[in-house]
Structures are given as structure tokens and as C-alpha cells.
Amino acid sequence: MPRPCLAALVALSLALGPAATHAQTPAETTTAPPGEPAAKPETTRARPDSRLAILSLTLSGSDDLSLAARLLTHLKQGLARGAFAVVDPAEVERHAPGGCSEPRCLAALRRDSKANFVLRSVVTVDDRDYLVRLELLAAEDGSVLASSEERCDLCGLAEVGALMEAQGALLRRKLEDLVQGPPRLAITSTPPGALVLVDSKLVGLTPTEQTLLEGQHVVQVRLDGYVTDERRVELVPGVRERLEVPLRREPKVARFRAAGWASLFVGIPAAAAGVTLLALDGRPYTRQCSGDDIDRAGQCRYLYNTDWGGGIALAAGAALITAGVMLLLRTRDRPQSRRPRAFLGPTGVTLVGRF
């Protein structure tokens, strides 16, 4: 029985990343707060100014031209409907008959066909063993942007065709990243300094910006004393999405802050009343300082006696003000800490911070 061939291009996935000379500036969208419809991301799909020239397939170890044509057809099927235009095969063959490997040939191909990228494929056949090698070249200078080498031992033609198609599909996605740029997610929170987890993996502290894979992701924003906020975002290649998270205080913390403000609102007037009463103590009560109420020395017999009341009010007010200030300080919005913090995640203990 033939063994199943590996369809995943690990080397291509690792080697091929966004190219600075070809990547576009991502579009930007903002995720709406919960309960509001999110704005539809704007992204460019097909770009006629990004063109891929597919060179004729080189078949080593076999003279079967029909096999080369079939494998190349499978490769093109995997590349179909990408965010780039494929140069007409007849035009490629006219400018680069039988392939193209020299820088001068690539420069001529780029000039004549306006190709930005060149795909070169080589299939080595040894009985029923196949070795497929793909190289993605920059047409500008012939540099290798990515390469992949995949074996398929004891395979039939259907399996080799499926392998070529899978390679083409993966290459299509990587080319879209080159053309459009990968998705980016910028996350801010109020207050800042919150832990950010994307798909249960810690990525940093707010504010932060991350390059992620396209598709749906679960974002959690955590901060001590605040309710954890969880959002689902859909990322699209070429789009920079912003996620603004206003964190809500935990109910217990909110009650403490309310108690702190109440203590201040009561304590400040009480302290002011105590100071006023102490200032009035021993002064004449002017409303009853006339006639017989004035002694021979000209002083009123009725004086304010408010020392005890003033002292109690001042002490109570001072205590309430102190308690209120302490509660507000303990529940205040702390500035972003620069000290590293330990976090227990699904993969173990993680140390995070800004250095």
C-alpha cells in the first residue's frame, strides 16, 4: 500500500514572511464595543499590480511531458483566486522558454511581463518516489523569498497531484501576505498596563500591537481590580484592527470607591463645622447682648460654649477624611508598572513586563 504523502509545507511556512519591499500598509478598522455592530473591514483582494509568473515545471528523472503538464496544472489550481494576478503561461513561455534562472533572464521577464514574483518548481522522479521543490523568487533581483522541499515516497499520480495542489494553496496564502501584509491587532485599555491574552496565550501589556494569523481570535484583557474583558475578533490580511477596551471595576472595588467618596463628602463639612465651632467658643452671643445682659465692664453675659462640640466634630471629620483618602488611594488607577510580573498561563509560569 502506498504511504500517505506529507502535504504540509513546513519549510515554506517558516521561511516565507512579510517582505518589507512588497508589503502594503495595512488598512485600519476599529472593533466596536459589545452590543454595537462592528465596522466591516476594508481590504484589497485582487491587485493587478502584483503579478506572479509561473515558470514551466522542470521534471528530473523522467521524460514524460504529460506528467509535467499535469503536475503544473495541479500547482496552478492551488494558486487560483489569490490576491495577485497570474501572468499568462504563453507570455511566460515566450519570454522565458524552458525556465529562467539567471538574473538577466529574470530581469527581462519582469520588464516584459511586469511580474513581481516568479515561481520555479522542480520535481525529481525515482520510480514511485517524488521530490518536489518550490522556490519563490523576487523578480526584481532574483533573491529567494521562500523555498520548500517535500518528499512523497511510493506515491501514485493522484497523491503527487494532491501534494502539488496543497503546496500551491499554501503558497497562495503566503503570497497574499506578501502582497497585502499580514493582519495586525492593536489593543489599548483604560487604564493601561493590563495583561493581554490572545487564544489563551499571553502576548504582552496594553498598549500593544501584534501580528497574528488571519481568522477568528479570542482576546482577553485582565487587570487586578477590574472585570476581565473578553472579545472575539475576525482578522483579515492587510487590515490593521484596533481594539479599545474600557475596563470596568470589580463590584467590590467600586463599593470601596463609593465609600471613600462618601466619607470625603461627609468628613469635609464635619471638619469645617468643628473648626467653626472651636473658633466661636468664648465669643459673645450677640443676639442676647443688650440691656441688662451687658455687665459693668461692657461685656456680654452670654458666651458661646462650643469647645466640646467643635472638638468632636473636628475629630470625626478628620477621621472620615482620612478613611476616604485611604480608600480612594487603595482603589486608584495605578500607572503602568515597569516591574516584571509573573503570570500563570496554560503553558506554565510566564514573566511579563516592560524593561
Side-chain angles (χ1 to χ4, degrees), residues 1-353:
M1 294 292 294
R3 292 181 298 174
C5 59
L6 299 177
L9 297 181
V10 178
L12 180 59
S13 177
L14 294 175
L16 184 52
T21 57
H22 298 285
Q24 303 293 319
T25 302
E28 184 171 308
T29 62
T30 303
T31 298
E36 297 183 10
K40 185 178 180 180
E42 296 181 2
T43 181
T44 303
R45 294 304 299 168
R47 288 178 52 92
D49 58 330
S50 297
R51 293 164 60 84
L52 172 67
I54 304 176
L55 301 178
S56 58
L57 186 143
T58 301
L59 193 61
S60 176
S62 174
D63 297 328
D64 189 352
L65 298 181
S66 62
L67 173 61
R70 287 198 299 270
L71 294 180
L72 188 59
T73 299
H74 283 291
L75 180 60
K76 291 179 179 178
Q77 288 174 352
L79 289 166
R81 297 183 300 278
F84 49 87
V86 177
V87 180
D88 182 63
E91 184 179 358
V92 175
E93 188 63 23
R94 183 170 64 254
H95 298 301
C100 186
S101 58
E102 298 295 330
R104 181 178 302 178
C105 175
L106 292 174
L109 179 62
R110 179 175 182 268
R111 181 185 65 250
D112 298 332
S113 66
K114 309 300 182 184
N116 305 97
F117 308 98
V118 176
L119 176 61
R120 185 165 55 200
S121 53
V122 179
V123 177
T124 302
V125 182
D126 182 10
D127 194 11
R128 295 184 61 187
D129 297 339
Y130 296 83
L131 177 63
V132 178
R133 180 171 178 80
L134 298 181
E135 287 185 339
L136 181 67
L137 310 176
E140 182 178 7
D141 56 6
S143 60
V144 178
L145 300 177
S147 63
S148 170
E149 190 170 279
E150 187 73 22
R151 293 190 62 88
C152 189
D153 297 330
L154 297 176
C155 292
L157 294 180
E159 292 175 304
V160 179
L163 173 62
M164 297 294 294
E165 193 166 339
Q167 286 180 327
L170 183 57
L171 181 61
R172 182 194 68 208
R173 297 184 62 182
K174 299 307 177 182
L175 268 176
E176 287 175 346
D177 285 345
L178 284 173
V179 173
Q180 297 177 333
R184 295 188 64 82
L185 178 62
I187 307 170
T188 59
S189 68
T190 306
L195 294 170
V196 178
L197 292 88
V198 178
D199 300 329
S200 300
K201 296 180 181 179
L202 185 64
V203 298
L205 303 174
T206 56
T208 183
E209 184 167 337
Q210 301 290 326
T211 299
L212 301 171
L213 297 175
E214 64 174 296
Q216 189 176 85
H217 298 272
V218 178
V219 179
Q220 289 182 328
V221 181
R222 300 180 181 178
L223 186 63
D224 292 340
Y226 293 82
V227 178
T228 298
D229 194 296
E230 182 174 303
R231 308 282 181 91
R232 293 182 181 274
V233 294
E234 186 77 24
L235 300 183
V236 179
V239 175
R240 178 182 182 270
E241 184 148 0
R242 292 186 302 159
L243 185 62
E244 300 174 359
V245 182
L247 295 172
R248 295 181 295 106
R249 292 186 177 277
E250 292 181 349
K252 182 179 180 180
V253 177
R255 289 196 295 269
F256 283 159
R257 286 190 67 83
W261 285 113
S263 296
L264 286 181
F265 289 149
V266 175
I268 292 175
V275 172
T276 302
L277 291 175
L278 290 176
L280 289 175
D281 184 57
R283 293 188 179 187
Y285 185 61
T286 55
R287 292 185 179 182
Q288 295 186 8
C289 287
S290 60
D292 296 338
D293 295 330
I294 300 177
D295 59 14
R296 295 181 179 179
Q299 298 193 7
C300 182
R301 293 188 301 170
Y302 297 99
L303 303 176
Y304 283 103
N305 184 19
T306 57
D307 53 346
W308 281 99
I312 293 173
L314 180 59
L320 288 173
I321 291 173
T322 302
V325 170
M326 292 299 295
L327 287 174
L328 292 177
L329 286 177
R330 289 180 62 87
T331 58
R332 74 186 186 280
D333 290 339
R334 294 176 174 81
Q336 184 174 330
S337 175
R338 292 184 176 273
R339 293 181 299 176
R341 288 182 282 173
F343 172 76
L344 182 59
T347 58
V349 178
T350 304
L351 191 64
V352 62

